[in-house]
Amino acid sequence: MARAQSQYLRIHDLAGATYQRWQNFYAHQTVTWSSASWLYQPFTASGITSGQTGDESGVTISLPAAPLVVDVVERAIANGWLFTLQAYQFDAFDGVSVPVATQELYATFTGEVVNAGATLTELQIELGSSLSPVGAQIPPRTMTTRLIGKGCRLGAN
């Protein structure tokens, strides 16, 4: 018996509305997992390699440059939709054609498109946080003398 890996990609907005659900293991099938239907879309995801969180690293997803995929990605970029990638592992056996109940979630990543590129046959999107790792964050703060005291003055007075 060998170990196998399946990945599920959900494209959604902040309010929770889902626009697409894709899976990459059960070829040419729509499967039900976690009470939802997932269409087959051949994609690969890379970047989830360590178990660390909060390191500002992103995930790169390669998809076929099919009209449906290009349309969804363009709309996602324009509207700031989120992509949630979930990766599972499980014991594979001959004839597995539906998600097995014993598959184990080993990684989840949620981000929005921060970079994209395309060729005639492939679309690559980089997912990450839209917040800058340095600079102003939420909530923004205005530095006042009450917060930092009297600032240093350079000059002749």
Side-chain angles (χ1 to χ4, degrees):
M1 190 175 311
R3 294 293 279 176
Q5 181 184 90
S6 60
Q7 296 173 335
Y8 296 81
L9 184 63
R10 178 177 166 242
I11 303 167
H12 57 97
D13 62 21
L14 284 172
T18 298
Y19 300 99
Q20 286 292 329
R21 285 188 180 95
W22 295 331
Q23 55 87 17
N24 68 353
F25 185 79
Y26 305 96
H28 311 291
Q29 294 184 59
T30 299
V31 297
T32 300
W33 176 249
S34 191
S35 301
S37 294
W38 300 81
L39 302 172
Y40 174 71
Q41 190 64 253
F43 67 88
T44 59
S46 60
I48 300 179
T49 55
S50 68
Q52 299 175 2
T53 58
D55 61 357
E56 293 296 328
S57 62
V59 169
T60 301
I61 298 177
S62 298
L63 295 145
L68 169 70
V69 174
V70 172
D71 178 58
V72 168
V73 171
E74 285 177 346
R75 291 184 354 201
I77 292 169
N79 295 302
W81 293 346
L82 300 174
F83 288 67
T84 297
L85 174 71
Q86 293 182 310
Y88 292 86
Q89 62 184 358
F90 55 94
D91 289 325
F93 49 88
D94 291 337
V96 62
S97 61
V98 295
V100 294
T102 57
Q103 63 184 1
E104 302 164 5
L105 177 68
Y106 72 88
T108 298
F109 183 87
T110 300
E112 66 179 301
V113 177
V114 294
N115 196 9
T119 66
L120 288 175
T121 59
E122 182 181 55
L123 184 63
Q124 283 197 338
I125 56 173
E126 182 182 340
L127 304 179
S129 172
S130 61
L131 294 176
S132 172
V134 295
Q137 297 293 316
I138 298 172
R141 300 199 78 161
T142 302
M143 295 301 153
T144 64
T145 55
R146 183 172 174 234
L147 288 174
I148 62 172
K150 189 172 183 178
C152 176
R153 287 191 179 192
L154 300 176
N157 280 338

